[in-house]
Each structure stands twice: as C-alpha cells, then as structure tokens.
Amino acid sequence: MILSEPWRLLVFVAGIIAFIALNAAYLVWLERKVAGHIQRRIGPKEVGPFGLLQPLADGIKLMSKQLLVPKGVDPLLFKVAPLLVLVPAVMSFVTIPFSEKLVARNIDIGLLMIFAFASVNVMGLLLGGWGSNNKYAVISAARAVSQNVAYEIPMLITVVTMIMLTHTMNLNEIVIQQAGGVWNWHIFANPLMPIAFLIFFICSLAETNRAPFDLGEAESELIAGFHTEYSGMGFGVFFMGEYANIIIGCGLATILFLGGWQCPFGILPGWWWFLAKVYFLIFCVMWIRWTYPRTTLWGLLNLSWKILIPFSLLILLLTGAMIKVWPLITGAS
Amino acid sequence: MNDLARSQNQETFVLNLGPQHPATHGVLRVKLTMDGEYVVHAEPVLGYVHRMHEKMGENRTWAQFMPNTARLDYLGALSYNHGYVKVVEQAMGIEVPERAEYLRVITVELNRIASHLLWYGAFVLDLGGFTPLLYAFDDREHVLDLLESVTGSRLTFCYFRFGGLYNDVDDNFVGGARAFIKRLRRRLPDYHNLVTKNIILIKRLKDVGVLSAEMCRKYGATGPVLRGSGVDYDVRRNEPYSVYPELDFEVPVYGEGDSMARYMVRMDEIEQCMRIVEQALDKLPEGPVVAEKVPKILKPPPGDYYSAVEAARGTFGIRIVSDGTNTPYRMKLRSPTFSNLSLFGEASRGMLLPDALALMGSLDLVIPEIDR
Amino acid sequence: MSGYFKELFGGTKSLAVGLGITIKYMVKPVVTVQYPHETLVMTPRFRGHIELVGNEETGAPNCVVCGMCQKACPSNCISLAGEKPEGAKKKILTSYILDFTKCSLCGLCVESCKFEAIAFSRDYNLAGPRKDAYVFDLKKRLEEKSG
Ligand code: SF4
Ligand code: SF4
C-alpha cells in the first residue's frame, strides 16, 4: 500500500508516539526487573504474569491522578515544560531508520536534526525547574543545563568524526555503508572507533540524565529534581520523554557504530536487529545505573573537560589525518 | 514574578533540608543557607522525635528502663543495653558471670556488624548507588536472624539483664555465628570491589569533608568519626570493660579526616568485629549466664555513677544518680551522634550541597538517638 | 601526566570490575522471601505478643492472679482481674487484657511470672487498620485455642 507523503508521515508519527508510550511503560518494567535481579530480588510480579501488566496499572494510576498545579508556580511554563521534553524526542524519531524502509522521513541532514532537537530537551528541564517555584527544582534545572552543555561538546566532536568517516548526515546511508558483516560496523572501522563509541555512549548517558550522571534528579540530594512538583501525567510525560531520549541515544549509538538495522547473519528482518541492538544498549544503561554511585557536578565537568573532550579531539585529528594524509602517502609511493 | 524570583534578589537563599528528606534518614531538619549550590551556613534543627527518655527513666523502676535503651540507637541497640546494665551493675556491685560477659561481647559485636552494614548501604545510597544497600541488607538479615534466634527480637533488643542475660545460647547459635563470619568474609571483597575501589566513590569522598582532630575534640565527636581524624581512641581499649582486654583486636585509625577515612574506619571495624566474635566464640566458657545474687527489687546505693561503652557510632555514656529508691533520681544519656552531628554546622561551611550530604552520611546519624 | 593516565586506567578498571560484580549477582537466584505467598517460621524464642499458657491437661490458665506481670510491665499494658470462688484455695483468672499497642516486647512480664503462665507467641502477622484490634483478651484467646 502506497500512501501519499503527508499521510505516510502522519501514520509514522502516530506510530512513533505509540512506540514511545509503550516503550516508556515497558522500559520501566524492564528497569525494575533488571534492578530487582541485580539486587537479588524479583521486581514486579503481582500484576499479570511476571508483573507484565504492572505498567498498565501504573499508567492508569498516573492518568487518573489529579494534575496538581501548586501555588506560586508559573502556570504556563509549568504545563509546557513536560511537552518540551517529549515533543523534541518525538521529532527526533522521525529521522531514525528502524529498517531500510521503516523510516518516517529519510532526510539528508537527519543527524543534524536530531542534535538540534536534543538541545530543545534541556530547555524543557530548565523551564520545568524554574516554573515549579521550588528551590530543589531550580538547583536541579541549573545542574541539568550545565551538564548538557558540557556533554554536547564531546558528543558533537565524536559525531563530526563520524561524519568525516561516512561523508553523510543521512542516517540511513550511514547504516547502508555498514553492510556486510560485523567487521564493517563503524565501531571496527579503525582502532580509534571503540574509544569514540565509548565517548559517545558516556555522553549520551550524561545527556539523558542517567545514572551515574543523574545529577538533575539526584533523589538523595534534590528529592526528585526538576519534576519534584509534578504529579499525575505531568510527571508521566517527563518520564516518557526521559525514556524516549534514552532510546534515541541508544538508537543513535546503534546507527552510528553498531550497524543500525544491518544484521550480521542475514536472518530476520532489519528492524528486529535494530531493536535488538538498541535494547541491548538500553540494558547496559540500566546495568550501569544500578551499579555506580552518582558523580558530583565537579566530577562530571572534570570528566568532560579533562578526559572526554581531549580524547574526542584527538580522535578527530587522527581520523582526519588518516583520511587525508594516508592516501597522500600511499598514493605518492 | 513568583516567590522564588523575588528571593533571587538576595544573595543567598534558605533551603530546608528535611524534616522529610531522603538524605536525612529520618526526621532531622537542617536549615541550610545556600549561595547557589554552596552551603553558607548549616543549622541542624533537632527534636522531631524527642521522646523524653531521660525523664521517662525517672518514672520507672531500674529494670523497667531496659526497653528504653534499645530505642535510642535502634541500629546498635545491644551496645546501649550493655551500657545501661553495666552502669547499674557498677552501682550495685554485681559480678557478672564470665559466660554472660562473653556472650554480651559476641552479641554486641554482631550487632555492630549489622549496624555498620546498614550504614554502608545507606551511605552509598546517599551517594546515589542503590544496589550496595540491598547487598548489605542481605548480609545484615543473616546477623539479625542469628540475633533473633537468641534474643527474640530483630531490632529493639532487650536481651541483657542486670547480672547477666535473659537466656543462654545454644550450639546452633555458635555454629550460626561462625557460618555467618565465613559468609561475610567471602562477601567483603565484593563490597570493596563494587564500592570502595570505585573511582566515582573515591572522587566523591577523598578530601571531602575533612575534619581535623581538633574540631572533633572541640565538639566531642567520638567513634569512627574521631578515629577517621587520626585520634586513636576506643573505649573498648582505652577504658577496658567486659572481657575486651582478653581479646586481641585492633582499633582502625585513619589520619586523613575526610569522608573516605571514616568510611574506611567502619569497613575495617567490620573485620575487627569478626575477629572479636571468632575469638570470643573460641574462648566461650561454660557456666551460668546470670549472677546468683541479684535482688528482685533493685535499689542501688545512693550515689552518682557514670559508665561508657563503645557503641557503633561512638562513645555512649550513661550517668545515673540514685537516691537509694527503686527508681532512678536522674538519668543522663550521652549519645554519640548528637556530638557528631553538632560539628556538621562548622564543617559543612563552604561545601557544595552533594559534598555536605556526603559528609552528613559519613557521620552515620541515627536521629532517634540524637533526639532521645 | 603519568598520574593522569594511571588514574584513567585504574578508574576504568574499577568501573569494569563493578559491572562484573553486579552482573554476577544478577544471574544468581533471588534471595528474598515472597511474602505473603511464602512465610517463614519464627524461631522458638521469637517474641510476639504475650499469651496465656494453659494447663496441659485441663486447659485452664496457669495464672494465679498474683499481679507480678502487671507490676513488672514498664508500659502498663497488662490489666488483669481474678476472683476467689467460695471454698476454692486459689484465685481464678476472670480477665486478662493486653494492650499490645503499648507493648515493647521487653519480656519483663514473662520473666517475672513464676508460674509459667505467660509466654511469647509466634504471631507476627499483626497489621490492621484499627487501634482497638490490638487490645487482646488473652483469656478468650486461650479458651479459643484449647477449644
Ligand atoms: S513484654 Fe514488656 S511491655 Fe510487653 S506486656 Fe510484657 S512487660 Fe509489658
Ligand atoms: S505473673 Fe503470672 S501468675 Fe502472676 S498474674 Fe501474671 S501471669 Fe498470672
């Protein structure tokens, strides 16, 4: 069935929203299960088999709760902020290729667009924190902003390296370049790429405010950070946005480094492989969260400025050298 | 313009940490004056769980005060039981049978392990790591099972009696205690690999919250806080009581005075506790567990008595004044975390909020014991 | 500079070791007891609320209404009454009420009773919405138990 372009886009966006909502619900379930087993307990198990209906129960609970708007908040900012977190995430999904055909809009600057939208996300946190009229929330919002700014730099440098390597910002094309077996994945393109992958992964952890970089939420310091004052679906939307951002972070890592929807063995459709890789990365994100204590803001900035940025710059330079200088040497001989 | 925007015109703002805050472990309230994320001034506000234990002591018989001692520091209740029976025995001149003394030491040290394990978990939780708490709880459950099998309770023990114990232990307990120590020895390396050596934790604790020995003395800080600042003082060794002199153990001391030092003191203490328990189990003599001549109705001779024990959090001192009747005339409890907390105001000045909370966690506060 | 790299490598290693430990525990079986589907049996010395002990043959309470337990209790949890029927040698218990809301399970009452008339129960499923559900009529409980 061929749909005209606007309709196709609409169907995809609806699909993406459903995907995000469902994912947020079941990632929470997964997170609780992973946390449970790491801590040698079971996790949710009462509602439905293996607790599989727990997200449904939680969703109903969140939706049926009153949307409390506390006294003294800025009503407009307070209500808009959760959407400012969720909507950019939805927009970013538009360019992510789930398989060769399964992509809402295959545009040439997909990578750029995702990063453009990713910076809007932090705006949502800032406004939510500021609009809440809560000191904890303001501290948290300020933290989230400085953290995001600091980590965007090494992340973008790594992405620039990738663009130099692939000569394109079209995500689907990047994936297509990695066809033909595990060894063609960009993570193995040259010896520096595993480090680049690591940097990218750490940065996406920090960008999505995940532990050990969950300074914005730091429950033992700031109660619940920027969403302290949110109840019901306001909180729910923040949550969905957060998990959507995790999927985007892991999805990008998969596309850029792990071959996207390319399957190493030629079995099963592409989207299956894409999701498998993404969920594996998400599992790692959870695994990390339930292992480490939280860093402080200084620790975080130190890591960014003293380790990640120098290393990513080094990789950028070396990759550039490899691309430009190496052919000259070999070509000259 | 909302309230907050208005208060932004000032240089600083007041942040109420608690009485319901995840980091204060109970109902402590700290009024923080903040400049951004820096603490300018911290003022602990106490009394949210004040239950007048000292006054209660004046209104009940000597024996009836026993359960109260377990409700000061509910995480290391047996040390407090011990402190109280010790001072009354001292007043009455009661000789405690050897076996009872050994069993007291064994149970108190097991209780100390349980308390330190809980602190370890809660401290890492303060720093944002959730999983170590559950691992520590797993081990702590085993200690509590053991203690439950002898004392009947898991938390608020009321096991010691003037002149001895409530009841004797059996071989199951001895075997169980040995098995537990074996288990914990196996687990401790995991604790260290997961937390102690973790670079994030080291970065958070090293050189953070440095307390000088002088400051500790000034505020009367004791226990691991004092020993983390390089002062080698432990009541169990400096003013020996019970059968501690017969047991060979070390007092871990770290000179750095930072949060890491306090962390290490407690982790090392767990190991020393295991050593003490093992030796005491080896030496455990046969015999009665209650002294023969303990009068039914206690009337300590008039006088003023003081005695101290080393509880999990520091020196627990108890002073009783008897007027020769069957109720105390005055009961004064010196609880260690009260002094340990009082240095927080001075020590946290100029610190970042997360660091100040790490410092607070490293003091190992138990609020009901501060408020009494 | 060498310190920088040393810290970098040492730190990375410590992080990897940490991940190794959590994954090791993740594949191990769970240790929690799935209450209320599973329950534990309390140890013989477990201190639940106190209960009256009956005579093994007749089932009548061992209590002789001496009132020692009442006096020993620090929290005045126990109120009891007894009467001396015409011609009987001993008093018999007519009521024994325990206010469990105040009890601190200290064991002073059990200890003070010389007639082995009270003991700790092994009940621990004691949660409820109302306070007065915890004022136990121990005499009635004993009668119900001995049927
Ligand atoms: S256990 Fe203690 S508090 Fe409870 S009824 Fe007996 S004496 Fe009273
Ligand atoms: S001490 Fe024993 S015999 Fe006396 S009243 Fe209490 S339960 Fe009855």
Side-chain angles (χ1 to χ4, degrees):
Chain A
M1 187 175 61
I2 311 291
L3 291 170
S4 63
E5 188 57 30
W7 284 106
R8 206 181 75 102
L9 199 61
L10 216 62
V11 168
F12 263 101
V13 168
I16 286 166
I17 292 176
F19 177 75
I20 289 178
L22 213 72
N23 246 299
Y26 277 90
L27 285 182
V28 174
W29 176 84
L30 186 70
E31 174 119 52
R32 291 175 64 184
K33 277 287 184 196
V34 168
H37 281 278
I38 280 180
Q39 296 161 358
R40 306 191 73 186
R41 42 189 189 88
I42 291 187
K45 73 181 185 81
E46 289 294 333
V47 192
F50 304 106
L52 273 170
L53 297 182
Q54 185 71 45
L56 200 71
D58 288 346
I60 292 172
K61 184 197 78 181
L62 278 181
M63 277 182 231
S64 59
K65 273 195 169 175
Q66 188 192 359
L67 256 177
L68 205 74
V69 180
K71 211 176 97 198
V73 304
D74 189 320
L76 186 66
L77 294 186
F78 189 76
K79 282 176 190 155
V80 161
L83 289 178
L84 270 181
V85 176
L86 184 64
V87 172
V90 176
M91 297 309 288
S92 303
F93 265 103
V94 168
T95 61
I96 287 190
F98 286 78
S99 75
E100 192 166 5
K101 295 275 148 49
L102 209 60
V103 44
R105 193 124 175 93
N106 191 8
I107 45 178
D108 282 342
I109 49 160
L111 203 50
L112 188 66
M113 189 181 136
I114 288 185
F115 283 101
F117 278 118
S119 347
V120 180
N121 162 36
V122 68
M123 194 69 191
L125 305 189
L126 178 64
L127 291 185
W130 174 253
S132 292
N133 187 28
N134 177 313
K135 291 165 190 168
Y136 289 112
V138 172
I139 295 180
S140 147
R143 281 182 181 189
V145 172
S146 52
Q147 174 182 345
N148 270 272
V149 170
Y151 276 81
E152 215 124 87
I153 299 166
M155 194 171 197
L156 286 176
I157 294 174
T158 319
V159 168
V160 169
T161 316
M162 287 315 291
I163 294 171
M164 277 165 52
L165 212 67
T166 58
H167 302 292
T168 174
M169 281 201 253
N170 183 325
L171 293 174
N172 219 350
E173 245 165 60
I174 293 178
V175 178
I176 290 170
Q177 284 173 4
Q178 305 178 59
V182 176
W183 290 107
N184 286 344
W185 290 1
H186 284 327
I187 188 172
F188 302 118
N190 64 46
L192 295 173
M193 280 301 125
I195 303 175
F197 171 70
L198 214 61
I199 293 176
F200 186 86
F201 190 64
I202 294 173
C203 291
S204 58
L205 276 184
E207 283 268 317
T208 49
N209 289 323
R210 286 291 296 198
F213 308 112
D214 56 342
L215 298 179
E217 236 185 279
E219 77 272 5
S220 57
E221 296 157 22
L222 303 178
I223 324 288
F226 46 82
H227 56 67
T228 305
E229 296 288 353
Y230 282 89
S231 61
M233 256 345 245
F235 167 74
V237 170
F238 259 128
F239 224 68
M240 253 155 69
E242 188 179 311
Y243 277 99
N245 280 327
I246 294 171
I247 302 172
I248 291 171
C250 293
L252 264 187
T254 308
I255 291 167
L256 291 181
F257 292 95
L258 300 180
W261 41 262
Q262 300 284 5
C263 59
F265 312 113
I267 42 167
L268 295 168
W271 58 269
W272 198 95
W273 281 103
F274 178 73
L275 288 183
K277 290 170 192 170
V278 169
Y279 283 124
F280 172 72
L281 285 184
I282 291 177
F283 168 74
C284 291
V285 170
M286 292 174 180
W287 181 17
I288 286 170
R289 166 161 181 198
W290 296 105
T291 304
Y292 300 139
R294 184 184 312 117
T295 55
T296 55
L297 198 59
W298 287 151
L300 190 111
L301 296 180
N302 274 339
L303 177 67
S304 174
W305 291 105
K306 288 190 187 160
I307 296 176
L308 296 182
I309 291 180
F311 271 85
S312 53
L313 275 175
L314 197 72
I315 291 173
L316 181 74
L317 280 179
L318 288 178
T319 314
M322 256 184 261
I323 291 169
K324 286 290 167 207
V325 183
W326 196 244
L328 282 185
I329 300 170
T330 47
S333 63
Chain B
M1 195 159 73
N2 59 30
D3 286 354
L4 196 86
R6 223 169 289 130
S7 70
Q8 293 297 302
N9 296 336
Q10 297 152 15
E11 295 274 300
T12 59
F13 63 98
V14 173
L15 188 68
N16 258 314
L17 198 81
Q20 281 128 6
H21 184 281
T24 55
H25 301 289
V27 284
L28 174 67
R29 176 174 156 218
V30 187
K31 241 172 88 181
L32 296 171
T33 310
M34 308 278 294
D35 178 6
E37 273 215 54
Y38 286 95
V39 177
V40 178
H41 182 74
E43 183 192 340
V45 184
L46 308 179
Y48 287 91
V49 275
H50 177 53
R51 289 147 301 164
M52 307 193 300
H53 276 302
E54 293 178 1
K55 194 73 190 164
M56 265 159 109
E58 295 168 20
N59 290 296
R60 35 181 67 192
T61 64
W62 295 94
Q64 283 177 342
F65 189 68
M66 273 305 296
N68 289 55
T69 57
R71 281 153 184 81
L72 298 169
D73 175 359
Y74 48 78
L75 298 178
L78 279 170
S79 306
Y80 292 72
N81 271 197
H82 195 180
Y84 180 58
V85 292
K86 189 171 149 234
V87 71
V88 175
E89 281 157 5
Q90 181 189 323
M92 295 284 296
I94 300 172
E95 276 293 317
V96 185
E98 258 231 307
R99 185 177 171 83
E101 284 287 17
Y102 271 99
L103 286 175
R104 278 182 185 179
V105 167
I106 291 169
T107 45
V108 163
E109 294 303 322
L110 284 175
N111 200 199
R112 194 189 309 273
I113 293 177
S115 166
H116 281 350
L117 282 177
L118 187 109
W119 166 82
Y120 160 85
F123 183 48
V124 183
L125 186 64
D126 280 352
L127 303 176
F130 198 97
T131 300
L133 173 78
L134 274 291
Y135 292 165
F137 258 63
D138 185 7
D139 283 325
R140 179 170 173 266
E141 253 349 73
H142 283 81
V143 196
L144 295 190
D145 281 346
L146 263 179
L147 290 175
E148 184 191 344
S149 72
V150 280
T151 66
S153 352
R154 296 178 78 83
L155 203 64
T156 47
F157 306 104
C158 184
Y159 179 53
F160 300 156
R161 291 291 183 268
F162 306 123
L165 307 171
Y166 183 77
N167 43 21
D168 200 356
V169 304
D170 47 17
D171 291 341
N172 279 347
F173 172 77
V174 176
R178 283 190 199 283
F180 166 73
I181 287 176
K182 232 174 105 191
R183 178 196 152 89
L184 191 60
R185 286 241 161 88
R186 258 203 334 267
R187 294 265 292 192
L188 275 180
D190 277 354
Y191 285 21
H192 286 303
N193 285 331
L194 182 59
V195 176
T196 316
K197 292 184 190 150
N198 188 299
I199 181 82
I200 301 175
L201 187 104
I202 294 175
K203 286 270 172 204
R204 287 211 57 179
L205 298 186
K206 261 240 150 1
D207 303 323
V208 168
V210 179
L211 307 173
S212 64
E214 222 243 301
M215 191 197 280
C216 287
R217 284 216 187 86
K218 195 164 83 184
Y219 287 99
T222 46
V225 176
L226 184 66
R227 289 194 285 276
S229 296
V231 181
D232 190 0
Y233 177 78
D234 186 315
V235 185
R236 286 175 297 175
R237 203 201 44 218
N238 293 56
E239 301 163 36
Y241 58 94
S242 198
V243 288
Y244 283 112
E246 280 147 58
L247 301 167
D248 172 34
F249 64 98
E250 277 155 32
V251 177
V253 178
Y254 283 78
E256 293 88 347
D258 53 4
S259 301
M260 195 68 193
R262 290 186 282 281
Y263 173 91
M264 286 314 293
V265 167
R266 290 199 183 89
M267 293 312 274
D268 287 1
E269 255 180 40
I270 294 181
E271 267 157 49
Q272 295 304 322
C273 291
M274 294 197 290
R275 269 182 71 192
I276 296 176
V277 173
E278 268 182 335
Q279 290 173 43
L281 286 172
D282 288 339
K283 289 188 179 171
L284 187 63
E286 291 297 320
V289 291
V290 199
E292 266 158 32
K293 287 191 259 0
V294 183
K296 264 264 89 114
I297 295 167
L298 238 37
K299 285 183 181 164
D304 196 336
Y305 311 92
Y306 174 82
S307 158
V309 291
E310 182 74 25
R313 288 164 185 74
T315 307
F316 169 60
I318 179 160
R319 175 181 173 201
I320 55 172
V321 181
S322 169
D323 55 359
T325 59
N326 65 350
T327 52
Y329 176 75
R330 173 79 171 98
M331 175 98 61
K332 164 75 186 130
L333 309 166
R334 183 231 181 258
S335 62
T337 39
F338 179 80
S339 314
N340 292 359
L341 173 68
S342 45
L343 54 73
F344 180 73
E346 185 181 328
S348 66
R349 202 162 295 154
M351 280 173 110
L352 277 171
L353 179 65
D355 291 344
L357 291 177
L359 166 66
M360 187 147 87
S362 75
L363 296 177
D364 194 6
L365 304 177
V366 171
I367 314 305
E369 191 228 35
I370 298 172
D371 285 349
R372 294 193 292 280
Chain C
M1 202 59 190
S2 78
Y4 173 83
F5 282 106
K6 219 171 122 196
E7 195 178 314
L8 188 63
F9 285 123
T12 317
K13 197 176 140 231
S14 78
L15 295 179
V17 169
L19 283 178
I21 288 173
T22 40
I23 199 86
K24 183 181 88 189
Y25 280 114
M26 185 171 165
V27 293
K28 281 191 184 175
V30 295
V31 291
T32 45
V33 175
Q34 300 308 312
Y35 183 85
H37 306 294
E38 296 165 43
T39 46
L40 294 175
V41 184
M42 290 295 114
T43 54
R45 285 189 187 171
F46 178 76
R47 292 187 185 176
H49 65 82
I50 53 165
E51 61 188 358
L52 287 172
V53 178
N55 189 299
E56 263 171 37
E57 282 149 37
T58 61
N62 277 346
C63 176
V64 298
V65 206
C66 67
M68 286 306 287
C69 52
Q70 195 176 10
K71 236 197 243 153
C73 178
S75 321
N76 302 328
C77 307
I78 301 169
S79 36
L80 47 77
E83 58 180 20
K84 203 170 179 181
E86 288 292 314
K89 261 189 256 140
K90 284 195 290 185
K91 271 186 170 177
I92 35 171
L93 190 66
T94 51
S95 88
Y96 196 112
I97 311 285
L98 168 73
D99 184 355
F100 190 55
T101 56
K102 293 191 282 181
C103 174
S104 53
L105 297 169
C106 61
L108 293 176
C109 52
V110 177
E111 217 176 12
S112 68
C113 180
K114 288 193 204 62
F115 303 90
E116 303 202 349
I118 40 178
F120 290 114
S121 70
R122 230 143 289 156
D123 263 0
Y124 62 93
N125 283 313
L126 288 166
R130 275 171 307 111
K131 202 175 168 186
D132 43 340
Y134 299 99
V135 180
F136 299 136
D137 186 341
L138 294 185
K139 186 157 180 282
K140 216 159 99 205
R141 279 189 171 231
L142 180 70
E143 278 157 12
E144 273 161 19
K145 212 167 74 180
S146 51

